[in-house]
Amino acid sequence: MDGVLIHEETALPGAKEFISRLREREVPFLVLTNNSIYTPRDLSARLESAGLSVPEENIWTSALATATFLAKQSENRRAFVVGEAGLTTALYERGFVMTNDHPDVVVLGETRTYSFELLTQAIRLIEGGARFIATNPDVTGPSSDGPLPATGAVAAMITAATGKIPYYVGKPNPVMLRNGLNKIDAHSEETALIGDRMDTDILAGMESGLQTHLVLSGSTTREQIQQFAFRPDFIHQGIGNVVDLI
């Protein structure tokens, strides 16, 4: 989503044409984001304000992927959650009860207001036996004023306090992509992933068996590609260069 379709609430060149082409040709697609703060409805409205018409059912977040994963992993469906509406709503819709009373799992997501009290509770619950799950490993997130600490950075603090490393569900974990493929009834052999980050997007796509397209309109520059041991299948200046491939 960010760095591929939009940048700071503005649609990137070719993004509108790309979404229109997908919908005209009835190509199943998902817009992915590791951000767990917002619900798909929120993100659909955000894209609409940028001039991009993407229904909420075509948006797949790390919060949704985490809730889908945990629904198969937790019999009692009791979770202590540090996060915002995107995460709590996704878990609620999967039948979870949000509680600090003997939860099966502690779920860490992204929030702009990390509470010392909640993090202290999370640490104590993990030490008491609750499993530690995090929506995504991103250590920073973007803002107009510069980088903000994100889920991965806060997870590292909890790990330092408990000695427990979380299981990350979001990109680059192929679990997020495989659940997304199931959602749109697609197969990896006939699916492509377009992303702007080598360390999350392209890695996730490669490990899931998808064709990978890196666009240089976001986080990764052409020079930075050389720092990685793997390569995308294709490199483009931006999403506009991908339209004619559909």
Side-chain angles (χ1 to χ4, degrees):
M1 183 169 166
D2 293 287
V4 177
L5 297 177
I6 61 173
H7 177 66
E8 294 183 356
E9 313 306 319
T10 300
L12 288 166
K16 185 174 183 179
E17 292 78 6
F18 177 75
I19 295 296
S20 296
R21 181 69 61 86
L22 289 173
R23 300 188 71 178
E24 287 168 6
R25 301 199 173 176
E26 299 183 346
V27 177
F29 73 95
L30 289 176
V31 174
L32 305 179
T33 177
N34 259 0
N35 190 317
S36 65
I37 291 179
Y38 305 105
T39 66
R41 184 174 299 175
D42 295 332
L43 295 173
S44 178
R46 179 185 170 197
L47 289 167
E48 188 70 40
S49 68
L52 304 178
S53 180
V54 179
E56 59 183 279
E57 58 267 23
N58 290 103
I59 296 174
W60 189 240
T61 71
S62 65
L64 293 173
T66 298
T68 301
F69 170 77
L70 285 176
K72 302 174 184 177
Q73 291 278 322
S74 174
E75 292 183 4
N76 296 325
R77 301 200 179 186
R78 296 170 67 84
F80 180 79
V81 182
V82 179
E84 297 198 17
L87 181 56
T88 55
T89 301
L91 288 166
Y92 176 80
E93 290 177 347
R94 284 289 184 165
F96 277 84
V97 173
M98 269 48 94
T99 180
N100 61 0
D101 182 20
H102 297 93
D104 299 325
V105 292
V106 168
V107 186
L108 176 67
E110 194 169 349
T111 172
R112 294 290 185 255
T113 55
Y114 284 109
S115 159
F116 185 79
E117 180 182 349
L118 288 179
L119 294 177
T120 299
Q121 286 189 66
I123 288 167
R124 291 172 179 170
L125 291 168
I126 292 168
E127 288 185 328
R131 287 175 290 151
F132 185 17
I133 305 293
T135 56
N136 63 286
D138 302 51
V139 294
T140 62
S143 81
S144 57
D145 297 322
L148 297 172
T151 308
V154 179
M157 182 182 71
I158 296 175
T159 295
T162 63
K164 302 291 179 62
I165 299 173
Y167 182 75
Y168 294 105
V169 178
K171 300 175 294 180
N173 192 339
V175 165
M176 181 172 177
L177 268 63
R178 288 172 184 159
N179 286 337
L181 289 171
N182 291 337
K183 178 178 169 64
I184 59 173
D185 195 26
H187 299 285
S188 58
E189 297 83 6
E190 58 188 24
T191 304
L193 182 139
I194 304 164
D196 70 309
R197 292 185 64 129
M198 286 288 290
D199 56 346
T200 55
D201 302 326
I202 301 306
L203 180 58
M206 181 190 69
E207 292 189 345
S208 301
L210 278 58
Q211 186 183 90
T212 56
H213 296 253
L214 176 72
V215 292
L216 302 175
S217 52
S219 296
T220 303
T221 66
R222 188 176 294 275
E223 292 72 28
Q224 289 172 332
I225 298 172
Q226 307 304 318
Q227 300 173 11
F228 297 87
F230 53 92
R231 296 288 182 270
D233 293 314
F234 300 94
I235 301 171
H236 311 277
Q237 284 300 122
I239 193 70
N241 299 112
V242 188
V243 176
D244 290 338
L245 301 179
I246 300 171

